[in-house]
């Protein structure tokens, strides 16, 4: 998954999910097949009840099959799949069923724990329902209810795009997922990230993992995995900025017994005060609070005053040596531990403060 980005200070334009785009392609292709005429513009109904119009290209129609392509517009969201080419190919058959086939660039589900069965293309339930609704409507309108339809969804360069996501960790290989519960992409929404956290925990449980490694991102994970080389990748979760949601999902999962959490200094300075969403657009570090922690650790007013002059939490290393025995960091971690353990009190929580040079300090409980 790409690094978290700063939210622009301007009105943000919404976009459409891969599921909505695939549905539009299916409608264009299906109408093209039954009418033998190109459908360059279609309107679909999104799950939230709104209508959305899509423009199609690269339309190909034969007597037996039809395909249409659209370009995904994610609006102002920094979505990995923004401007991706999504194609649907439909074929009529006599099965009376709608079958989904994985095309190039769409992921294959290989691990249990997701909403889609192992061996199926990574097309989530809501997009599947959207596409089936379109198919059944077209069949009914053209007196073809006795027919079945095979739908192949493909994404140009989808396997390359998937490398910038957490799909492989979830057991989704060879491409991206076709997603969306509302059909709309809300710029910089937390919903998709939180959904990936929940999926990650679900996959860990389904693969019999009782111990998790949770980190804000790739840097802290790299260090923590060196400490726990036996922990499988399916047990590694990125919480990003959503610490509360991560521990709430863990608390709902009795199968998880132990959590090893890595956290960088900047996020720890926010978490220690009880800020469980550490995004820079939501919270900033409170220098006065951190100065009080220094006093609690036995430091003088002079040291506390130095903290008040800092412009970034990362510069605390200029005042306190980054070492296991440093009392200030142990106090900082004590408060971080308190806020996380309060959400998931039955979990054995091990907390690691991680430095930029990959060294670490473990909280001494």
């Amino acid at each position: 998954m790409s690094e978290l980005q700063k939210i622009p200070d301007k009105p943000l334009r919404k976009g459409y999910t891969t599921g909505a785009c695939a549905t539009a392609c299916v409608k264009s292709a299906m109408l093209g097949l039954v009418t033998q005429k190109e459908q360059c513009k279609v309107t679909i109904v999104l799950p939230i009840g709104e209508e959305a119009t899509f423009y199609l290209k690269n339309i190909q129609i034969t007597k037996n099959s039809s395909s249409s392509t659209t370009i995904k517009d994610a609006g102002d969201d920094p979505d990995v799949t923004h401007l991706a080419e999504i194609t649907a190919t439909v074929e009529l058959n006599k099965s009376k069923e709608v079958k989904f086939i994985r095309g190039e660039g769409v992921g294959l589900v290989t691990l249990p724990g997701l909403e889609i069965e192992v061996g199926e293309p990574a097309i989530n339930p809501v997009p599947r329902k959207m596409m089936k609704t379109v198919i059944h409507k077209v069949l009914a309108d053209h007196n073809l209810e006795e027919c079945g339809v095979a739908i192949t969804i493909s994404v140009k360069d989808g396997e390359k795009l998937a490398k910038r996501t957490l799909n492989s960790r979830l057991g989704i290989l060879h491409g991206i997922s076709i997603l969306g519960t509302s059909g709309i992409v809300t710029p910089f929404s937390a919903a998709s990230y939180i959904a990936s956290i929940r999926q990650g925990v679900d996959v860990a449980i389904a693969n019999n993992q009782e111990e998790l490694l949770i980190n804000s991102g790739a840097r802290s994970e790299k260090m923590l995995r060196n400490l726990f080389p036996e922990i499988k990748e399916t047990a590694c979760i990125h919480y990003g900025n959503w610490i509360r949601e991560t521990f709430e999902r863990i608390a709902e999962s009795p199968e998880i017994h132990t959590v090893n959490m890595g956290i960088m200094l900047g996020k720890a300075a926010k978490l220690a005060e009880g800020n469980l969403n550490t995004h820079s657009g939501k919270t900033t570090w409170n220098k006065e609070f951190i100065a009080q922690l220094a006093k609690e650790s036995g430091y003088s007013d002079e040291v506390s005053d130095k903290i008040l002059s800092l412009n970034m939490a990362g510069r605390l290393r200029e005042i306190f040596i980054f070492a296991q025995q440093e009392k200030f960091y142990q106090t900082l971690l004590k408060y971080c531990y308190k806020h996380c353990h309060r959400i998931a009190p039955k979990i054995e929580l091990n907390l690691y403060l991680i430095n930029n040079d990959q060294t670490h300090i473990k909280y001494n409980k």
Side-chain angles (χ1 to χ4, degrees), residues 109-162:
V109 177
T110 66
L111 291 176
L114 299 172
E115 295 177 286
I116 305 302
E117 294 294 321
V118 171
E120 282 287 308
I123 303 172
N124 274 19
V126 172
R128 286 176 182 246
K129 182 179 179 180
M130 292 169 68
M131 288 182 248
K132 284 183 176 181
T133 298
V134 165
I135 291 292
H136 291 145
K137 177 71 165 58
V138 173
L139 291 176
D141 288 347
H142 293 83
N143 298 315
L144 295 170
E145 292 96 332
E146 296 300 310
C147 292
V149 178
I151 302 172
T152 302
I153 304 297
S154 57
V155 179
K156 184 178 179 180
D157 296 324
E159 188 161 7
K160 183 178 179 180
L161 292 173

Side-chain angles (χ1 to χ4, degrees), residues 11-246:
L12 298 176
R13 186 172 59 88
K14 294 182 179 181
Y16 296 107
T17 63
T18 48
C21 293
T23 300
C25 292
V26 166
K27 184 172 183 178
S28 169
M30 193 64 195
L31 286 171
L33 181 58
V34 298
T35 65
Q36 290 293 292
K37 296 180 180 179
E38 291 188 2
Q39 309 292 321
C40 299
K41 177 182 176 182
V42 298
T43 298
I44 65 170
V45 178
L46 302 175
I48 57 174
E50 296 180 7
E51 291 188 341
T53 299
F54 293 80
Y55 294 88
L56 293 306
K57 67 172 191 174
N58 298 342
I59 297 173
Q60 298 181 14
I61 303 172
T62 70
K63 289 185 178 181
N64 300 315
S65 68
S66 175
S67 63
S68 293
T69 298
T70 195
I71 305 297
K72 181 188 171 180
D73 180 3
D76 287 325
D77 192 68
D79 192 308
V80 167
T81 57
H82 179 54
L83 300 181
E85 289 191 18
I86 299 174
T87 301
T89 301
V90 298
E91 297 178 81
L92 290 176
N93 56 51
K94 298 179 181 180
S95 69
K96 298 184 181 181
E97 297 178 350
V98 176
K99 180 177 176 59
F100 291 94
I101 300 173
R102 188 184 75 84
E104 185 176 352
V106 171
L108 174 70
V109 177
T110 66
L111 291 176
L114 299 172
E115 295 177 286
I116 305 302
E117 294 294 321
V118 171
E120 282 287 308
I123 303 172
N124 274 19
V126 172
R128 286 176 182 246
K129 182 179 179 180
M130 292 169 68
M131 288 182 248
K132 284 183 176 181
T133 298
V134 165
I135 291 292
H136 291 145
K137 177 71 165 58
V138 173
L139 291 176
D141 288 347
H142 293 83
N143 298 315
L144 295 170
E145 292 96 332
E146 296 300 310
C147 292
V149 178
I151 302 172
T152 302
I153 304 297
S154 57
V155 179
K156 184 178 179 180
D157 296 324
E159 188 161 7
K160 183 178 179 180
L161 292 173
K163 293 178 181 178
R164 296 164 57 193
T165 74
L166 296 178
N167 268 14
S168 63
R169 179 161 298 176
L170 298 173
I172 300 171
L173 305 182
H174 310 308
I176 67 165
S177 301
I178 304 300
L179 304 171
T181 55
S182 67
I184 296 288
V185 173
T186 301
F188 293 89
S189 168
S192 60
Y193 204 111
I194 293 170
S196 75
I197 292 170
R198 298 184 68 86
Q199 284 183 329
V201 175
D202 291 344
V203 168
I205 292 169
N207 288 276
N208 303 312
Q209 306 299 318
E210 298 180 351
E211 183 174 3
L212 300 181
L213 300 188
I214 67 171
N215 300 273
S216 59
R219 281 194 302 170
S220 55
E221 180 183 298
K222 181 179 179 181
M223 193 291 299
L224 207 57
R225 291 198 72 183
N226 287 335
L227 292 180
F228 298 93
E230 74 283 0
I231 299 294
K232 294 183 179 179
E233 190 176 34
T234 51
C236 298
I237 312 292
H238 287 183
Y239 57 77
N241 289 308
W242 292 276
I243 296 171
R244 180 190 303 278
E245 290 80 2
T246 302

